[in-house]
Amino acid sequence: MPEYLSQEQIDTFYRNGYLVLPKFLDAKDTDALLRRSHKYLEDFSVEDHPLTRFTTAEDNHVGDDYFLDSGDKIRYFLEEDAVDKDGKLTRDKTKAVNKIGHGLHELDPLFRKVTLENDRVKAVVRDLKVHHDPVALQSMVIMKQPYIGGQVGEHNDSTFLYTDPPSAVGFWIALEKCTAENGALSFLPGSHRTSPITKRFVRLPQGGTGFESLPIPTDINEKAQFQGEYIMETCEPGDLVIIHGAVLHKSEHNYSPNTRFAYTFHMIESPPYARYDTKNWLQPTEAMPFSHILDSPQSVSA
């Protein structure tokens, strides 16, 4: 019997490729994460920052050392429109940051509490049975700043956090109200069953990052991947969205006067059940290996 989810919710996740769980975090924990996020923004030191901007454009994706070495640190990445041609911020620093990551789940006690020390997260993982022995490999707060919060085009997470076989699952928690106006997430239901992982985001031999093509599985119906319509999922603070690594999703530009803070972390399967290689942009370190979610591995039906 499931511990936290109903069978209907489990079926919905496998059918649609995502699942919304309202009020997964209570107001106390949600407010604590939001306040801590604002404190990080206030403490942000612009003077010694390389002004690394976060972009989702395939021909100009972030790939400097500040980004590549961020897996075991807490670092700041700016909105594209927050820096002018002379390398100066165009607005206050607290309104210029796109996201803070990627080691919050290990390094910050509040974020660690809701990620690695959260019995409900563990129960959901056991109920869904996507992984035998999942590990958390990255976490971040995404701000989606007023007026300049950039559009995130259609993508799936396994492209950026690739394992063989693909196994990424995202846990996305709204820290503020997420609406059509400030860039709520939209999903193409069922696309995880029809859209193959055709490329992966890698470290390039010459430095930086890029995409490497992958063979298309023979059991995938390529024509079916273009069917269906996107559904926008507006959220209240504390709502959790669980995102299958292959489901197509996106979010629009934030043209509103409101931020759209969200905390998200991702998990993948660990060896020997899946292989995560050195081509991936994000690499574990000796000081901070990827964090196990469950106390012990579980059985998963094939």
Side-chain angles (χ1 to χ4, degrees), residues 187-201:
F187 296 87
L188 189 58
S191 55
H192 62 302
R193 293 182 278 109
T194 60
S195 298
I197 310 300
T198 59
K199 60 188 176 183
R200 57 179 297 201
F201 188 59

Side-chain angles (χ1 to χ4, degrees), residues 7 36 50 60 62 95 101 114 147 155 179 195 214 222 261:
Q7 188 59 51
R36 181 61 61 91
N60 188 34
V62 63
K95 298 296 184 183
V114 303
Y147 304 114
H155 70 285
T179 69
S195 298
L214 295 169
E222 291 186 72
F261 279 52

Side-chain angles (χ1 to χ4, degrees), residues 50 87 135 170 258:
V135 290
N258 304 310

Side-chain angles (χ1 to χ4, degrees), residues 154-171:
E154 180 181 83
H155 70 285
N156 53 47
D157 292 341
S158 281
T159 293
F160 297 92
L161 301 170
Y162 182 74
T163 60
D164 183 16
S167 64
V169 172
F171 279 56

Side-chain angles (χ1 to χ4, degrees), residues 224-243:
Q225 65 181 296
F226 301 106
Q227 298 176 359
E229 296 182 358
Y230 268 88
I231 294 177
M232 178 175 288
E233 296 290 353
T234 59
C235 291
E236 295 293 325
D239 291 357
L240 166 66
V241 187
I242 307 170
I243 306 172

Side-chain angles (χ1 to χ4, degrees), residues 1-301:
M1 292 291 292
E3 299 177 47
Y4 185 87
L5 302 176
S6 68
Q7 188 59 51
E8 181 180 2
Q9 289 173 319
I10 295 171
D11 293 343
T12 296
F13 173 78
Y14 279 99
R15 180 176 65 251
N16 292 340
Y18 72 97
L19 176 66
V20 181
L21 297 179
K23 299 181 180 179
F24 184 78
L25 283 192
D26 62 26
K28 181 180 178 181
D29 284 342
T30 303
D31 291 344
L33 295 188
L34 184 59
R35 287 195 303 271
R36 181 61 61 91
S37 300
H38 281 291
K39 184 66 166 61
Y40 276 119
L41 291 178
E42 292 167 7
D43 294 344
F44 173 36
S45 175
V46 179
E47 289 70 23
D48 55 0
H49 189 273
L51 298 183
T52 299
R53 288 170 288 180
F54 182 76
T55 172
T56 57
E58 290 198 13
D59 59 350
N60 188 34
H61 210 288
V62 63
D64 63 8
D65 288 342
Y66 183 82
F67 171 74
L68 292 174
D69 295 339
S70 63
D72 59 353
K73 302 174 182 69
I74 298 174
R75 288 186 165 173
Y76 299 78
F77 303 92
L78 306 178
E79 294 280 3
E80 284 191 83
D81 294 338
V83 183
D84 65 20
K85 59 182 177 62
D86 298 318
K88 304 293 185 182
L89 291 186
T90 61
R91 61 207 65 233
D92 183 82
K93 66 178 185 179
T94 63
K95 298 296 184 183
V97 176
N98 168 284
K99 68 175 182 175
I100 300 172
H102 290 94
L104 286 166
H105 63 291
E106 275 282 5
L107 299 174
D108 185 285
L110 288 180
F111 288 96
R112 183 183 179 90
K113 174 187 173 186
V114 303
T115 311
L116 302 177
E117 300 169 358
N118 190 332
D119 289 338
R120 284 168 294 166
V121 168
K122 295 180 182 183
V124 167
V125 169
R126 287 191 291 263
D127 286 347
L128 290 177
K129 296 189 183 303
V130 174
H131 305 105
H132 294 82
D133 189 13
V135 290
L137 73 167
Q138 71 159 10
S139 55
M140 53 193 166
V141 174
I142 304 171
M143 280 73 186
K144 203 77 154 173
Q145 297 285 2
Y147 304 114
I148 63 167
Q151 178 190 49
V152 178
E154 180 181 83
H155 70 285
N156 53 47
D157 292 341
S158 281
T159 293
F160 297 92
L161 301 170
Y162 182 74
T163 60
D164 183 16
S167 64
V169 172
F171 279 56
W172 189 98
I173 303 171
L175 302 183
E176 297 181 303
K177 184 184 288 288
C178 303
T179 69
E181 289 72 32
N182 70 355
L185 295 177
S186 295
F187 296 87
L188 189 58
S191 55
H192 62 302
R193 293 182 278 109
T194 60
S195 298
I197 310 300
T198 59
K199 60 188 176 183
R200 57 179 297 201
F201 188 59
V202 299
R203 295 183 179 224
L204 297 175
Q206 67 270 29
T209 57
F211 289 91
E212 177 182 273
S213 296
L214 295 169
I216 298 175
T218 56
D219 60 344
I220 291 290
N221 182 350
E222 291 186 72
K223 293 182 180 179
Q225 65 181 296
F226 301 106
Q227 298 176 359
E229 296 182 358
Y230 268 88
I231 294 177
M232 178 175 288
E233 296 290 353
T234 59
C235 291
E236 295 293 325
D239 291 357
L240 166 66
V241 187
I242 307 170
I243 306 172
H244 190 287
V247 74
L248 295 172
H249 58 289
K250 61 183 181 178
S251 66
E252 302 304 325
H253 192 106
N254 181 7
Y255 290 108
S256 82
N258 304 310
T259 52
R260 193 222 64 184
F261 279 52
Y263 172 58
T264 183
F265 61 93
H266 289 85
M267 59 184 71
I268 56 171
E269 185 67 279
S270 60
Y273 309 105
R275 179 172 176 262
Y276 186 92
D277 63 28
T278 56
K279 289 183 179 181
N280 281 301
W281 73 268
L282 177 67
Q283 291 297 314
T285 64
E286 184 175 346
M288 190 182 296
F290 293 157
S291 315
H292 288 268
I293 298 292
L294 301 178
D295 299 327
S296 59
Q298 65 175 346
S299 298
V300 175
S301 300

